[in-house]
Amino acid sequence: MSILTSPERTDCHVLVIGSGGAGVRAAIEASRYGDTVLLSKAIAGKGGCTPMAEGGYNAVLRAQDSVEAHLRETLESGAFLNDPTLAQTLVHNAPERLRDLLRRGAVFDVTEEGEVAQRYFGGQKFPRTCYAGDRTGHEIMTTLMEWLRSTPVRVFHETSAIALLKSGDAVTGALALDRSGGLLLFRADSVILAAGGGAKIYASSTNSASGTGEGYALGYEAGAELIDMEMVQFHPTGAVLPPDAKGRLITEAARGEGGILLNRLGERFMERYDPARMELAPRDVVSRAIATEIREGRGTINGGVYLDLTRLAPAVIEERLPVMLEQCLRFGVDIRRESVEVAPAAHHVMGGLRIDPLTCRTTVEGLYACGETAGGVHGANRLGGNALAETQVFGTLAGEAAGKAKPRASSIPAKQVDDQRRRLEAFRTGDANPYALLKRLHEIMGEGAGIFRNEAGLKKALLEIDRISRARLHAAASRNLADCCSVRNACTTAMLVCRAALLREESRGAHMRTDDAPPQSEERSPFGHTFLSLSREGIERRDRP
């Protein structure tokens, strides 16, 4: 299909962009109220982070636990930057949303009494994390896809949204590219962004190739406000070797089951950083500890530390960590008998579009967001096990709210479609290799906006991002047009991360400024959310006792 021809048009009541746990759940809920369309950049159910999530789903199910404790630990882990209402919504609704999945056939590990089994995760005083071995996300996604097939939702596989369309101040649809590079137009009464995260702007990342920040870029360019984009969580344990598996997630469940971290000297170094919680300290603490050991010369020759599970019985590893065992065996490491080398890898963006806590509405009319695309739930550091719960809690709320929204008689301005056509045509005559630019972006972000940051490094990174953003990307064929758009989105996401990091002149949670001391009490910090939009930017200040 030529880009110059009129794009094929599809009308619907709700358009959902993204097919991970949040997007599929949102589409399921929205379909109860009207015609719903789901756009998936990959094959729906196969791409994104949810199928790759290994560890578990946090939900209060036992009498000795409580939603109050879950809320307190979520806020503590988030350095009290979380939106309290969003956090409350998460912990109160997570158990029932889990039951929805179980009623739909999800198979979780159970105790001898037949109750859902739960394990410890970092930052939690109770074994609250429900799991299906170490393939929890895959089990949830399989269940959701079966559920989706029972609805009338129309699914467009391998279809990449490239721009949101607006009529006046309201979002009224989107333009997308199919797998061949053909232009598609979707008109909708409401649009839900559930396009996942953006950790793939870093070289070492646990994300799939699709994690280049589409949701952040699409929302920002449509005028939505984003908060806390500086808060990028680095998972403590990404694979170091082999090179083609660098950053692949080594689940937190390994530490939850009793795995320990050792430096090259054989020291259990977490005693220096968090002697009370050790390897089960929050992820920001463990990631900084590992990074510090490596920086100070106590890391391995390959730039990592050792994760040792040999203290566990082989049967425990085989039963509770089968995916990790299998993938490490493919790396040539038998974790039943030897340690595996790990290092922090970019994992999750805690920031995202600002949303209403009860409806997931963004600051732009007709636009909703959920899952990792939305900000505010996790604050400055995400508690492990909260993300899978977030997909179901807020996917449900976004789908219901968008579905209940009234139909709007709105048009698609022809100029916006023409502008996007010209942008795509320019990729045909460009001269810059998008994959080379993405590699350079990885280097820039690693050097200037990694675990440790400072003003000079962030400003230098912004200058470099601006320079590569101006490059004339080249699409060798129509099917490569979407790749060019993804690289542009990655640059926009990287810019938002660096600008927000400069706004926050404090060290807090996952945001460690080497040129600013951490607050004496994160709970009493005078700073609230950073915010960025096309019309304003800054950092909220708040009174603290």
Side-chain angles (χ1 to χ4, degrees), residues 430-443:
D431 54 14
N433 184 322
Y435 312 107
L437 283 187
L438 186 60
K439 183 178 179 180
R440 177 58 188 142
L441 181 67
H442 290 163
E443 295 169 352

Side-chain angles (χ1 to χ4, degrees), residues 201-220:
I201 60 175
Y202 293 87
S204 181
S205 169
T206 65
N207 285 194
S208 67
S210 63
T212 49
E214 265 71 12
Y216 310 126
L218 290 171
Y220 176 76

Side-chain angles (χ1 to χ4, degrees), residues 445-511:
M445 293 303 289
E447 293 165 1
I451 292 177
F452 299 102
R453 304 152 174 195
N454 58 53
E455 181 180 11
L458 290 164
K459 287 183 174 179
K460 180 181 178 182
L462 274 175
L463 287 173
E464 285 290 302
I465 293 166
D466 181 67
R467 184 182 66 79
I468 66 173
S469 295
R470 297 175 186 276
R472 297 175 61 250
L473 297 179
H474 174 63
S478 294
R479 64 179 178 274
N480 302 123
L481 291 169
D483 297 332
C484 292
C485 293
S486 290
V487 172
R488 285 274 184 261
N489 290 333
C491 288
T492 298
T493 300
M495 175 272 293
L496 292 168
V497 169
C498 292
R499 278 170 54 188
L502 282 169
L503 289 168
R504 187 172 296 282
E505 296 179 349
E506 65 170 347
S507 290
R508 193 165 178 188
H511 175 66

Side-chain angles (χ1 to χ4, degrees), residues 194-521:
K200 207 62 180 178
I201 60 175
Y202 293 87
S204 181
S205 169
T206 65
N207 285 194
S208 67
S210 63
T212 49
E214 265 71 12
Y216 310 126
L218 290 171
Y220 176 76
E221 289 161 5
E225 187 165 272
L226 292 92
I227 60 172
D228 304 331
M229 286 298 293
E230 73 280 10
M231 297 301 178
V232 179
Q233 182 177 75
F234 285 76
H235 196 288
T237 54
V240 171
L241 295 172
D244 62 351
K246 186 176 178 64
R248 185 170 295 179
L249 179 65
I250 302 294
T251 176
E252 187 168 336
R255 287 174 285 130
E257 295 293 345
I260 62 173
L261 294 168
L262 304 170
N263 62 22
R264 68 175 177 83
L265 304 176
E267 298 171 328
R268 192 175 177 185
F269 57 85
M270 283 307 300
E271 292 177 347
R272 282 196 284 273
Y273 302 94
D274 198 318
R277 295 176 291 189
M278 299 291 283
E279 285 82 7
L280 291 180
R283 288 176 175 177
D284 60 328
V285 176
V286 182
S287 289
R288 281 195 297 274
I290 293 174
T292 299
E293 292 294 303
I294 296 168
R295 290 176 72 182
E296 294 182 356
R298 294 185 293 276
T300 68
I301 193 172
N302 298 308
V305 297
Y306 295 110
L307 174 61
D308 182 13
L309 289 96
T310 58
R311 55 166 47 193
L312 303 181
V316 171
I317 295 173
E318 292 161 5
E319 178 184 346
R320 299 186 184 179
L321 301 169
V323 174
M324 180 181 170
L325 173 60
E326 181 183 352
Q327 73 178 22
C328 287
L329 285 172
R330 288 201 300 268
F331 302 164
V333 176
D334 186 343
I335 57 175
R336 295 167 295 191
R337 298 178 178 85
E338 55 190 322
S339 300
V340 60
E341 289 185 62
V342 297
H347 183 58
H348 190 99
V349 179
M350 276 80 70
L353 277 70
R354 191 192 289 269
I355 59 170
D356 174 83
L358 300 179
T359 64
C360 296
R361 285 196 306 265
T362 71
T363 56
V364 175
E365 184 182 350
L367 183 63
Y368 301 75
C370 58
E372 197 173 344
T373 304
V377 177
H378 307 296
N381 179 58
R382 179 174 66 81
L383 197 65
N386 272 359
L388 286 177
E390 177 193 20
T391 67
Q392 299 310 289
V393 170
F394 294 100
T396 297
L397 291 175
E400 288 180 346
K404 290 178 179 178
K406 294 181 179 179
R408 286 183 285 128
S410 55
S411 59
I412 300 292
K415 182 180 183 304
Q416 293 177 35
V417 177
D418 290 341
D419 287 345
Q420 291 301 318
R421 277 203 192 97
R422 283 191 287 271
R423 179 170 78 115
L424 295 171
E425 286 295 342
F427 291 148
R428 295 189 183 279
T429 58
D431 54 14
N433 184 322
Y435 312 107
L437 283 187
L438 186 60
K439 183 178 179 180
R440 177 58 188 142
L441 181 67
H442 290 163
E443 295 169 352
I444 293 167
M445 293 303 289
E447 293 165 1
I451 292 177
F452 299 102
R453 304 152 174 195
N454 58 53
E455 181 180 11
L458 290 164
K459 287 183 174 179
K460 180 181 178 182
L462 274 175
L463 287 173
E464 285 290 302
I465 293 166
D466 181 67
R467 184 182 66 79
I468 66 173
S469 295
R470 297 175 186 276
R472 297 175 61 250
L473 297 179
H474 174 63
S478 294
R479 64 179 178 274
N480 302 123
L481 291 169
D483 297 332
C484 292
C485 293
S486 290
V487 172
R488 285 274 184 261
N489 290 333
C491 288
T492 298
T493 300
M495 175 272 293
L496 292 168
V497 169
C498 292
R499 278 170 54 188
L502 282 169
L503 289 168
R504 187 172 296 282
E505 296 179 349
E506 65 170 347
S507 290
R508 193 165 178 188
H511 175 66
M512 176 57 66
R513 287 280 296 257
T514 59
D515 51 354
D516 283 290
Q520 291 185 341
S521 168

